[in-house]
Amino acid sequence: MFSSFASAQVAPNIVGTWEAVSAVSASSGTEDKQSRLVLSNKKDAAILKFIISTQDGAAFQGETTWRDGVKNLVTGVFHKDGKTLLFSSDVGVGTGYVVNDEMEFCSASVLTTKNRASCTQLKKVK
């Protein structure tokens, strides 16, 4: 029953700077705090940069930088496949994956003042 754990993949080293290649996002207000709907397929629609500063095996921590200069701390872990990510920040949660020097980072807000979902494709630059 637990034999699949024995074949778990080793998480790759993802420490470094990752920059956006492309992105898609959707944001709107909430029922209580109305704001206009914004849909975007522009490269700067979501996070611009993800700097991963610390990693211990399958666990990591870093910081995202958004177009408006806002920065958020992110903690995350790899699934046992060594590619799939799960992460959390002050403002959202998400999933993603890493293959070689490419990453997809998809998140959704957990705010009561704004609804936001986005996916950013990133490339490791250093």
Side-chain angles (χ1 to χ4, degrees):
M1 178 169 150
F2 293 104
S3 64
S4 64
F5 286 108
S7 64
Q9 298 293 314
V10 175
N13 179 352
I14 59 171
V15 172
T17 301
W18 298 76
E19 292 185 351
V21 174
S22 64
V24 60
S25 73
S27 65
S28 69
T30 63
E31 190 67 34
D32 292 334
K33 185 168 169 81
Q34 298 288 317
S35 68
R36 71 182 183 91
L37 172 66
V38 178
L39 305 175
S40 179
N41 288 292
K42 295 181 181 176
K43 177 179 158 181
D44 66 351
I47 66 170
L48 297 178
K49 189 184 298 184
F50 188 9
I51 298 175
I52 299 172
S53 55
T54 306
Q55 182 176 356
D56 184 2
F60 61 91
Q61 180 180 33
E63 180 179 76
T64 56
T65 303
W66 296 78
R67 176 181 55 185
D68 55 8
V70 171
K71 295 183 179 194
N72 297 116
L73 287 178
V74 174
T75 58
V77 294
F78 277 91
H79 288 237
K80 69 178 184 172
D81 66 7
K83 295 178 184 175
T84 308
L85 305 172
L86 176 66
F87 49 86
S88 175
S89 76
D90 291 345
V91 297
V93 295
T95 63
Y97 71 88
V98 174
V99 176
N100 300 320
D101 64 347
E102 295 181 356
M103 177 189 300
E104 181 171 59
F105 183 100
C106 296
S107 63
S109 67
V110 293
L111 303 171
T112 58
T113 57
K114 185 175 195 174
N115 288 309
R116 179 179 179 93
S118 65
C119 282
T120 303
Q121 289 68 44
L122 302 125
K123 186 136 180 105
K124 191 171 186 180
V125 294
K126 56 181 171 173

